[in-house]
């Protein structure tokens, strides 16, 4: 509850945070699609995707982690398939350059 209250306080103080977050979400989803990774068009900041099987997603997770980028592989969670998924999360404080670097490293890993 305390974290939610603080988040609301921050957003009320700086409305541009929501605008930056929405821009970052669009940039990430667009970049994923350009790499051939299907994503839904929801406005959420958490994006779960399946790229091949569990072994492939674990390999991608490890490759990105080695570059200092954390995209967790989630093996089991309610509502996801048996292979699991990679979970991308974007924040208002991410810069366009950070997202571009993520997409570039993901392209290399693919």
């Amino acid at each position: 509850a305390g974290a939610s209250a603080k988040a609301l306080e921050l957003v009320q103080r700086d409305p541009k945070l929501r605008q930056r977050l929405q821009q970052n979400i669009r940039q990430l989803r667009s970049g994923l699609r350009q790499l051939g990774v299907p994503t839904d068009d929801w406005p959420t900041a958490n994006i779960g995707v399946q790229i091949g099987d569990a072994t492939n997603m674990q390999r991608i997770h490890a490759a990105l982690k080695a570059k200092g980028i954390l995209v967790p592989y989630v093996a089991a969670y309610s509502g996801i398939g048996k292979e699991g998924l990679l979970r991308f999360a974007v924040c208002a404080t991410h810069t366009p350059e950070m997202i571009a670097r993520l997409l570039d490293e993901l392209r290399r890993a693919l």
Side-chain angles (χ1 to χ4, degrees):
S4 295
K6 186 63 173 180
L8 289 171
E9 177 188 326
L10 293 172
V11 169
Q12 288 173 342
R13 230 186 300 154
D14 186 0
K16 291 185 180 189
L17 285 174
R18 287 189 329 198
Q19 293 170 352
R20 283 196 301 264
L21 178 59
Q22 292 303 314
Q23 290 168 346
N24 289 347
I25 292 167
R26 284 191 298 274
Q27 180 185 358
L28 179 57
R29 286 184 187 279
S30 173
L32 289 170
R33 287 186 193 110
Q34 288 174 10
L35 293 173
V37 178
T39 64
D40 293 323
D41 218 13
W42 300 346
T44 58
N46 296 310
I47 304 167
V49 300
Q50 291 183 318
I51 304 173
D53 62 12
T55 301
N56 188 54
M57 289 186 282
Q58 290 168 353
R59 179 191 62 76
I60 292 169
H61 161 78
L64 293 174
K65 188 175 179 184
K67 297 292 185 173
I69 300 170
L70 184 58
V71 176
Y73 167 70
V74 180
Y77 193 78
S78 177
I80 66 172
K82 66 178 182 161
E83 295 295 338
L85 55 77
L86 289 169
R87 184 179 175 270
F88 293 82
V90 65
C91 300
T93 55
H94 285 125
T95 64
E97 294 79 17
M98 290 172 166
I99 297 169
R101 179 172 172 256
L102 161 66
L103 293 167
D104 189 47
E105 294 297 343
L106 178 60
R107 181 186 51 76
R108 286 185 177 103
L110 292 173

